[in-house]
Amino acid sequence: MEELSADEIRRRRLARLAGGQTSQPTTPLTSPQRENPPGPPIPASAPGPSQSLGLNVHNMTPATSPIGAAGVAHRSQSSEGVSSLSSSPSNSLETQSQSLSRSQSMDIDGVSCEKSMSQVDVDSGIENMEVDENDRREKRSLSDKVSPEVSEEQALQLVCKIFRVSWKDRDRDVIFLSSLSAQFKQNPKEVFSDFKDLIGQILMEVLMMSTQTRDENPFASLTATSQPIATAARSPDRNLMLNTGSNSGTSPMFCNLGSFSASSLSSMYDNPFSFLFLALSGDSSDEDEEEDDDDDDDEGGGGGGDDFSCVQFGSSLGASGGATNWDSYSDHFTIETCKETDMLNYLIECFDRVGIEEKKAPKMCSQPAVSQLLSNIRSQCISHTALVLQGSLTQPRSLQQPSFLVPYMLCRNLPYGFIQELVRTTHQDEEVFKQIFIPILQGLALAAKECSLDSDYFKYPLMALGELCETKFGKTHPVCSLVASLPLWLPKSLSPGSGRELQRLSYLGAFFSFSVFAEDDAKVVEKYFSGPTITLENTRVVSQSLQHYLELGRQELFKILHSILLNGETREAALSYMAAVVNANMKKAQMQADDRLVSTDGFMLNLLWVLQQLSTKIKLETVDPTYIFHPKCRITLPNDETRINATMEDVNEWLAELYGDQPPFSEPKFPTECFFLTLHAHHLSILPSCRRYIRRLRAIRELNRTVEDLKNNESQWKDSPLATRHREMLKRCKTQLKKLVRCKACADAGLLDESFLRRCLNFYGLLIQLLLRILDPAYPDVTLPLNSDVPKVFAALPEFYVEDVAEFLFFIVHVVSTACCTSTHIWLCICVVPVCISLEPSKGTWCLSSPAVSCLPPFLPMIPLGSWSVLYEPCTQDIVMFLVVMLCNQNYIRNPYLVAKLVEVMFMTNPSVQPRTQKFFEMIENHPLSTKLLVPSLMKFYTDVEHTGATSEFYDKFTIRYHISTIFKSLWQNIAHHGTFMEEFNSGKQFVRYINMLINDTTFLLDESLESLKRIHEVQEEMKNKEQWDQLPRDQQQARQSQLAQDERVSRSYLALATETVDMFHLLTKQVQKPFLRPELGPRLAAMLNFNLQQLCGPKCRDLKVENPEKYGFEPKKLLDQLTDIYLQLDCARFAKAIADDQRSYSKELFEEVISKMRKAGIKSTIAIEKFKLLAEKVEEITP
């Protein structure tokens, strides 16, 4: 073969460079979070033949090796680690579509963006002519039309500029490649077969220089030009600072608070028992704050974790989502000083400079030859990064060693698309993929475990894992498959505390554990609610910020779990994990659950939020209502689970029939499984959290009452032997009260989130629709009454399906929907009697305006004020219909207390109890199904509740009947229900029983409440006489005071209930008289009225005089007025005969005393008093 001329060699190389590509050049994949990557679009190039872009170590010979013959042995050893990356003739990087490869480009450093375009062509090494600005603009305009060819020399200059190397001259700010220089001098034609070969040689020689040089660092002379190296180089202690800016030149990978160590990673997967010990024994924050009685706490809150200095605002609350000053962050990750870090910095910077070059000269870089060259550079950078992460160039690394890449990912210091390209390049080789990404996943999990909501750094591990999981190629999510294959994806239970264990040990548990609740994370309350006082405005601001944090974190959790579900290989694993969490936390629904054995509230609420998002688009037509009975149901119900209207024997018999020869079950679909998992997650998350919230309110009230009692009685005990004990108790109560108030402020942020509660209500609306479809397939055209035979599917459902709806509505009504930005009153129903608490807007404090309970602490911010409309969602119509249907068909529910809860919801929405829910109550009373059956059904339940089968039925019935009486008073005011009332009064089967129960209740309640007032009067009189009181023994004084407190509580409750029954009598007798004059009712009613008149106006009436009667709700004038009104409203000969026949309480003198007191107190008008006098005379005439 004759020797080629220099021009011919040059021509052939240019031809090979321009047209010899094997496929369309590609760039790193677009981040899942951004559909349009930054940078100008790159036009498509013509297709060409195949050429591998990976690092092919086998193609290197000793003659062409960048490190010479001495490096052959090392290269052969390291080539095994990447053989899979280039084993196929066409690397997967080159098999991407032409449009994708041309539409994607790398981001650039913010500093490089500021360079003027007049210097772009000079710096790129492609154009090196000196022209003035006008000529430069003219040339640029011409270049848009005609793209000049790129010579081999220009391509070499571009390669040298990106890799910052030289094989010609030693110069500042470049790495001189001595081995490659020698080869060029010896035989330039045989140095490289193509540019891909040259790139591989350059990178290998640079990296081997780093590994073989002991004293001199080859990268030390380089000036950092991209974000990763610039960050570390600027800090003398080699720290990576957090980058929160929205720079398009960095990958959306973020940072967290904390640091990692190799020892913390080791044995995490090899020895799960050690992890279990850490999970179950070392977390003191899981103890309930309500039970913390630390003796070291002082009145000022000093000591340990209770030493709250001040409420801090602004520092991290405003950090998320905005561009902040780089130097303002003190939290950082320390990069390990080692050769691997130096190599990673160099490779990442080279990868980043490709994007910079594309941004500088988009037209030139869009040419097929240049585009392929840049794509090869990216691919080789990624391939060599894989080698570094595996330790192929230094020392092999185990899976337990921390990944060098985690700090870069958490600190957003990776170029755009770097991680996605690394996933895409390595995922086809399972061993290489695991060796690189398992340490990364472990590092992210440890970062998430160390995070807290006391700063916004908690979101960075979540966002990093979310981006990894969203990276997909075709229909495959490689990282999702890897995560689901981890040994701790779903660890086996090792202890009775399976719920807490699953949270602590499972891989996703660390990511789902962030929480604002003080029981879960004490750092939140210490940072945001640690001031001496908590104002309403501060609480509102902090709550909104924390809720925003929660929303951000939960969105990332949804991305993670959604990606795992989208990946066909891992969908089953994801469903199994969610079902395992639900099954492991069944004990959380118990009234007295052991918090050490179950997952935390924050964990469960985060899981619930994700499941709600997954259930958003579920259509009820695709949900199988019998799934809970399906043989393949993932949810395991306890054997003692109460059913709506069936015993366990009934359920077993029905299931035996159902599982007959041809069971009607089909394979469960995802919508069905997701719906029921979400339903049970509500039962185990939002409802236990609501109950804990109510218990905390009660604990605050009781503690405050104790503090007030101790303060008020200090004069009595300060000189006694028990003074020291009382002072210590006062001190501990104050400290505990402050802690509970701050814990409650955290719970406000985590639980009273309007959008979250609205999603809960909407899901319960879906559940209601499903239940109504079971009850009446004609839904929404439901007709009442329902079929007398209860559908077996409905009867066998767990009772909490209905109970949870009622309980959640109850919580919404009496805790949440009461708050409004212009509110001046908050209604709570902590006891039987509703309590009105007034807000003083000028002071931002709460005070009691009802005598029902003692005052609450002035610093207690009950509810963050805001505009609430949770109760009035579109689903409310279905909820109203369900309430009406269930109350009108009580035979469908076996447990009377479940019906009582539905009644209580209706009571709580009554305008007389809660004016702000008037619209909801009107929807119930005006519903077409309620006008005919609601009144008789409630009247029947009023009488049936006399016997419930429970040991507390005698006292429970008074509360339930109090609720029904209040509802009746409101329904009576609605003209649509008048006809139903009158029908019941005249011919109703339930009315006589109802009046009998009403008489019995009134008699008992008035008698008990008046007797307790007499005992209160007696003790108060004794205490007024100080000499006599001081002579009593100390234990006797304490016994009397204890009895006084007991009588005060009894009188408050009973008087409220008695007043309601008397009001009902007053209302009924005013509207209709005939039913009360029946022989079976008249005499009993007259005897009850006479007895209570004797109590109020008889010879012992002075015993009812107590101090501050309004404190107990005792209004004797109003009570006397109502009782005498009932006499006048029933005034007739038959009723006068019934009064006269009462031998127990009636007397002429009693009626004369009543008339005298009414005149003296001005209780009635003169005309009314004269009518009552005529009635007395009529009775006296009849009296034998």
Side-chain angles (χ1 to χ4, degrees), residues 730-762:
L730 181 61
K731 173 183 171 181
R732 291 178 60 184
C733 287
K734 286 182 177 180
T735 302
Q736 187 71 1
L737 187 58
K738 291 177 182 178
K739 289 172 60 178
L740 285 179
V741 169
R742 288 161 187 163
C743 292
K744 184 200 162 297
C746 291
D748 288 343
L751 196 58
L752 305 187
D753 183 351
E754 180 180 0
S755 60
F756 181 54
L757 293 173
R758 181 176 285 111
R759 280 190 290 268
C760 293
L761 188 66
N762 284 326

Side-chain angles (χ1 to χ4, degrees), residues 458-495:
F458 79 96
K459 63 186 178 184
Y460 301 130
L462 295 170
M463 300 176 83
L465 182 61
E467 184 177 347
L468 285 174
C469 291
E470 284 189 319
T471 302
K472 70 173 184 177
F473 307 99
K475 295 183 179 180
T476 303
H477 295 71
V479 178
C480 293
S481 300
L482 180 61
V483 170
S485 67
L486 294 175
L488 291 183
W489 166 257
L490 187 55
K492 293 182 180 179
S493 177
L494 304 174
S495 70

Side-chain angles (χ1 to χ4, degrees), residues 353 400 437 562 586 796 1070:
R353 276 196 293 270
Q400 283 72 38
F437 280 95
H562 186 246
M586 285 297 180
K1070 183 178 182 181

Side-chain angles (χ1 to χ4, degrees), residues 743-1006:
C743 292
K744 184 200 162 297
C746 291
D748 288 343
L751 196 58
L752 305 187
D753 183 351
E754 180 180 0
S755 60
F756 181 54
L757 293 173
R758 181 176 285 111
R759 280 190 290 268
C760 293
L761 188 66
N762 284 326
F763 181 83
Y764 279 128
L766 285 177
L767 172 62
I768 291 300
Q769 292 183 33
L770 184 67
L771 295 178
L772 287 173
R773 290 171 186 268
I774 297 174
L775 293 174
D776 191 343
Y779 170 84
D781 299 324
V782 178
T783 56
L784 292 183
L786 297 176
N787 195 315
S788 57
D789 295 329
V790 182
K792 292 185 178 181
V793 175
F794 180 81
L797 289 176
E799 187 181 80
F800 69 80
Y801 283 13
V802 177
E803 184 179 15
D804 284 359
V805 177
E807 194 169 345
F808 181 74
L809 287 173
F810 179 73
F811 178 78
I812 289 290
V813 170
H814 93 239
V815 174
V816 177
S817 65
T818 56
C820 181
C821 55
T822 58
S823 172
T824 57
H825 291 84
I826 298 293
W827 284 89
L828 300 175
C829 191
I830 299 174
C831 293
V832 173
V833 187
V835 182
C836 181
I837 302 173
S838 299
L839 169 66
E840 298 180 18
S842 59
K843 299 181 181 179
T845 58
W846 305 87
C847 62
L848 186 74
S849 61
S850 170
V853 295
S854 63
C855 63
L856 290 166
F859 55 85
L860 175 62
M862 292 301 300
I863 299 170
L865 297 184
S867 179
W868 295 88
S869 57
V870 177
L871 200 58
Y872 302 114
E873 288 291 296
C875 64
T876 305
Q877 290 288 350
D878 293 317
I879 294 174
V880 166
M881 178 185 290
F882 183 75
L883 284 174
V884 173
V885 169
M886 288 293 95
L887 289 176
C888 295
N889 295 270
Q890 299 163 20
N891 60 306
Y892 272 57
I893 298 177
R894 184 163 169 259
N895 184 2
Y897 288 99
L898 182 54
V899 180
K901 281 197 173 182
L902 300 179
V903 172
E904 188 175 9
V905 171
M906 193 172 178
F907 161 77
M908 286 302 302
T909 60
N910 193 290
S912 62
V913 177
Q914 176 48 259
R916 301 187 185 283
T917 57
Q918 180 175 354
K919 180 180 176 182
F920 185 87
F921 187 83
E922 289 175 351
M923 293 170 66
I924 297 176
E925 64 179 358
N926 294 326
H927 196 279
L929 299 177
S930 70
T931 53
K932 292 295 182 182
L933 296 178
L934 184 59
V935 169
S937 297
L938 289 177
M939 202 170 288
K940 180 178 184 299
F941 186 62
Y942 190 102
T943 58
D944 291 345
V945 81
E946 180 76 17
H947 303 288
T948 62
T951 56
S952 59
E953 65 179 13
F954 180 79
Y955 299 99
D956 294 338
K957 66 182 180 182
F958 295 122
T959 302
I960 298 171
R961 288 171 176 173
Y962 169 79
H963 295 161
I964 295 175
S965 297
T966 305
I967 294 171
F968 276 164
K969 287 197 296 184
S970 296
L971 292 178
W972 179 259
Q973 298 174 9
N974 190 319
I975 191 67
H977 292 272
H978 269 196
T980 308
F981 270 112
M982 296 308 298
E983 289 179 8
E984 285 297 315
F985 292 161
N986 295 322
S987 58
K989 299 179 181 179
Q990 303 296 330
F991 185 71
V992 175
R993 293 185 60 201
Y994 168 68
I995 296 300
N996 268 318
M997 299 299 176
L998 202 61
I999 293 173
N1000 292 341
D1001 291 351
T1002 306
T1003 302
F1004 173 80
L1005 293 171
L1006 277 177

